[in-house]
Amino acid sequence: MAILTDVIVYLCSVLVLSLTGVSSQLDIQFDVQDVVALRKHSAYINCKVSGQDALTGNIIWLKNRKQLDNEDSNIETFPNGTLYFAMARQKAAFSDSGLYQCCLRILNSSSQVCSQDVTFSIAKMPKLSKARINLNYKAGQAVRLTCPTEAAVPRPIITWYRDKKEIIQDDRVVVLSSGVLHLLSLHLDDAGRYRCKAANIAGQRNGPIITLNVTSSTSLARQPVIVSNPKDVRMVAGRHVELECLFEGPSNMNVTWTRTDGQKIRNPTYTGRRNLILQNVIQEDSGNYVCSAQVPGTLTVVSKHANVDIISKCIILFC
């Protein structure tokens, strides 16, 4: 069994030099997907090559930048370009996991045009920490809770519970695509025992119990205070990027996103109080993004930066 993640189409316009010294422009498209397979199950990686010059070469596959061993009986390249695994292997000495590339070796040329890396992974859901966590906060503050699933493949679906009841999201209680839980402007009745559940094709696990204690406060922050900085992101074109930005401060605090180059952010959407989502990113989305918070009527602006790097759509190798 295997699951396919984000579909990525790479559009390549390539200038190649033939063995006779004549150059030509080729238009080729790669349609590839990352794959997560269950250990000891069959799996495959599709590669659809299209475009005006798709028939100008032969399909070969690379793993970690090296051409696959044709003598490996567990792996076969079908005539349509699909790479087939009779059984997904994960052993201490060898694993089929890795970065693969579908390449079109150009006939009568010293070039081959390759898709960007395709990740082939073996599904897993390791046990999560059971250590109990106690947190003490004041009403009005902001809290960020994480589910320790960094080692899970593929990224699991995260569900959060408070006192064994599933949390209902609203503009104050938000679960990001990463599984991070934001609790904004804490109320006294937000206190309780929180726990995450993570699930993917390899199974499901419960996270640690987090006891959140909330006490009343008469003094709230008058200026924005950063709770979580946005992180730098490097992403393949065609996917989604979520930039987290969590402030605490007065309820009338404004949070905005801009780019340092002055360019308008392309088709932005937001979760919670202005976590930024960039959908179907393209190379033009690369840049430095700024999350800023300001209380109306004041001069203080608190800002944090994150760099977004969108990886090029195709790779040209000369051999």
Side-chain angles (χ1 to χ4, degrees), residues 48-191:
K48 297 178 181 179
V49 183
S50 59
Q52 181 177 324
D53 299 293
L55 300 179
T56 59
N58 300 317
I59 293 294
I60 64 169
W61 282 90
L62 309 183
K63 179 185 179 184
N64 300 329
R65 299 294 189 268
K66 295 181 180 180
Q67 187 169 346
L68 287 177
D69 183 0
N70 292 329
E71 297 181 0
D72 187 342
S73 60
N74 187 65
I75 300 177
E76 180 181 359
T77 301
F78 291 164
N80 65 356
T82 295
L83 183 63
Y84 174 75
F85 300 80
M87 181 177 67
R89 298 165 293 186
Q90 180 76 58
K91 300 178 181 179
F94 177 82
S95 172
D96 286 316
S97 296
L99 299 177
Y100 290 77
Q101 289 174 284
C102 172
C103 299
L104 185 68
R105 178 162 287 172
I106 308 300
L107 298 177
N108 301 317
S109 169
S110 61
S111 302
Q112 61 190 35
V113 186
C114 298
S115 72
Q116 189 52 262
D117 291 334
V118 178
T119 302
F120 184 85
S121 308
I122 308 298
K124 58 181 179 178
M125 177 54 77
K127 292 182 179 179
L128 305 185
S129 170
K130 298 298 182 184
R132 292 176 177 264
I133 301 171
N134 286 284
L135 301 175
N136 298 304
Y137 279 81
K138 298 288 188 181
Q141 288 188 289
V143 177
R144 180 182 188 271
L145 302 182
T146 61
C147 194
T149 59
E150 294 82 2
V153 179
R155 174 189 283 183
I157 296 174
I158 306 295
T159 307
W160 281 92
Y161 298 85
R162 188 187 69 173
D163 298 331
K164 298 184 178 180
K165 295 182 179 179
E166 185 174 342
I167 286 178
I168 304 300
Q169 297 188 60
D170 53 31
D171 61 351
R172 195 179 64 84
V173 179
V174 179
V175 179
L176 305 184
S177 62
S178 61
V180 171
L181 173 63
H182 283 182
L183 301 171
L184 307 176
S185 301
L186 279 176
H187 298 171
L188 293 177
D189 58 8
D190 287 324

Side-chain angles (χ1 to χ4, degrees), residues 11-17 23-29 51-54 56-57 104-107 109 111 113:
L11 307 176
C12 307
S13 182
V14 186
L15 184 66
V16 300
L17 185 66
S23 63
S24 59
Q25 187 85 17
L26 299 181
D27 292 309
I28 300 168
Q29 299 177 15
Q52 181 177 324
D53 299 293
T56 59
L104 185 68
R105 178 162 287 172
I106 308 300
L107 298 177
S109 169
S111 302
V113 186

Side-chain angles (χ1 to χ4, degrees), residues 188-237:
L188 293 177
D189 58 8
D190 287 324
R193 299 172 71 187
Y194 289 77
R195 197 173 198 181
C196 65
K197 181 177 74 175
N200 65 15
I201 62 171
Q204 63 181 39
R205 302 284 189 183
N206 290 319
I209 296 174
I210 304 172
T211 300
L212 176 63
N213 304 299
V214 183
T215 56
S216 58
S217 175
T218 56
S219 58
L220 298 178
R222 296 182 179 180
Q223 298 295 340
V225 177
I226 187 70
V227 176
S228 180
N229 296 332
K231 302 295 190 299
D232 292 344
V233 176
R234 190 167 188 261
M235 186 63 68
V236 174

Side-chain angles (χ1 to χ4, degrees), residues 224-230 245-248 291 302 304:
V225 177
I226 187 70
V227 176
S228 180
N229 296 332
C245 189
L246 179 59
F247 284 96
E248 64 182 33
C291 178
V302 180
K304 294 296 177 180

